Amino acid sequence: QVQLVESGGGSVQAGGSLRLSCAASGITASRYWMGWFRQAAGKEREGVAKISTSGAYRNYADSVKGRFTISRDNAKNTVYLQMNSLKPEDTAMYICAAAPTFDGLATGYRGQGTQVTVSA
């Protein structure tokens, strides 16, 4: 049974930082693309960041470039999202995803999410 468990969310003031973690079980994470999506109240789900199996390739939404960094530790089956210079518009449920391909991330395995709230 595949499980993705996110942690690290919370409430922070604008300009602050948070580090999200996603621990995968039931899969060999090194064989999967991993990514983070977010969904804010009343808005469509947005792809935030994606990372290839080895970590060599990373892709970011324009809205977070220069502020967020995705990384992974395949030995720990874990992917991270370091979020700096947070803005109120970053407030959302952050959801971890895994899939065998880049294009598959949108419909692949997903966790339950961790809430991030940024106050002005």
Side-chain angles (χ1 to χ4, degrees), residues 74-94:
N74 285 338
K76 296 181 179 180
N77 262 17
T78 300
V79 64
Y80 305 97
L81 186 67
Q82 177 66 44
M83 306 187 295
N84 298 328
S85 302
L86 282 161
K87 304 175 181 180
E89 51 263 44
D90 293 318
T91 295
M93 180 70 76
Y94 283 72

Side-chain angles (χ1 to χ4, degrees), residues 38-41 87-94 115-119:
R38 66 186 181 186
Q39 183 141 30
K87 304 175 181 180
E89 51 263 44
D90 293 318
T91 295
M93 180 70 76
Y94 283 72
Q115 178 67 37
V116 171
T117 302
V118 185
S119 57

Side-chain angles (χ1 to χ4, degrees), residues 32-54:
Y32 284 76
W33 284 74
M34 304 285 290
W36 289 92
F37 292 78
R38 66 186 181 186
Q39 183 141 30
K43 295 187 178 180
E44 291 189 357
R45 190 180 64 168
E46 175 188 22
V48 175
K50 300 170 185 178
I51 188 167
S52 62
T53 53
S54 67

Side-chain angles (χ1 to χ4, degrees), residues 1-117:
Q1 182 181 358
V2 177
Q3 280 194 312
L4 301 176
V5 180
E6 302 94 336
S7 61
S11 296
V12 65
Q13 288 190 327
S17 299
L18 285 173
R19 188 193 194 206
L20 306 184
S21 299
C22 171
S25 60
I27 59 172
T28 302
S30 60
R31 297 178 182 175
Y32 284 76
W33 284 74
M34 304 285 290
W36 289 92
F37 292 78
R38 66 186 181 186
Q39 183 141 30
K43 295 187 178 180
E44 291 189 357
R45 190 180 64 168
E46 175 188 22
V48 175
K50 300 170 185 178
I51 188 167
S52 62
T53 53
S54 67
Y57 175 79
R58 306 177 195 197
N59 173 274
Y60 296 95
D62 288 343
S63 57
V64 307
K65 279 181 183 175
R67 301 187 298 121
F68 290 11
T69 302
I70 189 170
S71 61
R72 65 190 298 160
D73 185 338
N74 285 338
K76 296 181 179 180
N77 262 17
T78 300
V79 64
Y80 305 97
L81 186 67
Q82 177 66 44
M83 306 187 295
N84 298 328
S85 302
L86 282 161
K87 304 175 181 180
E89 51 263 44
D90 293 318
T91 295
M93 180 70 76
Y94 283 72
I95 301 159
C96 177
T101 64
F102 176 87
D103 290 336
L105 279 169
T107 56
Y109 297 116
R110 282 179 242 168
Q112 294 296 308
T114 185
Q115 178 67 37
V116 171
T117 302

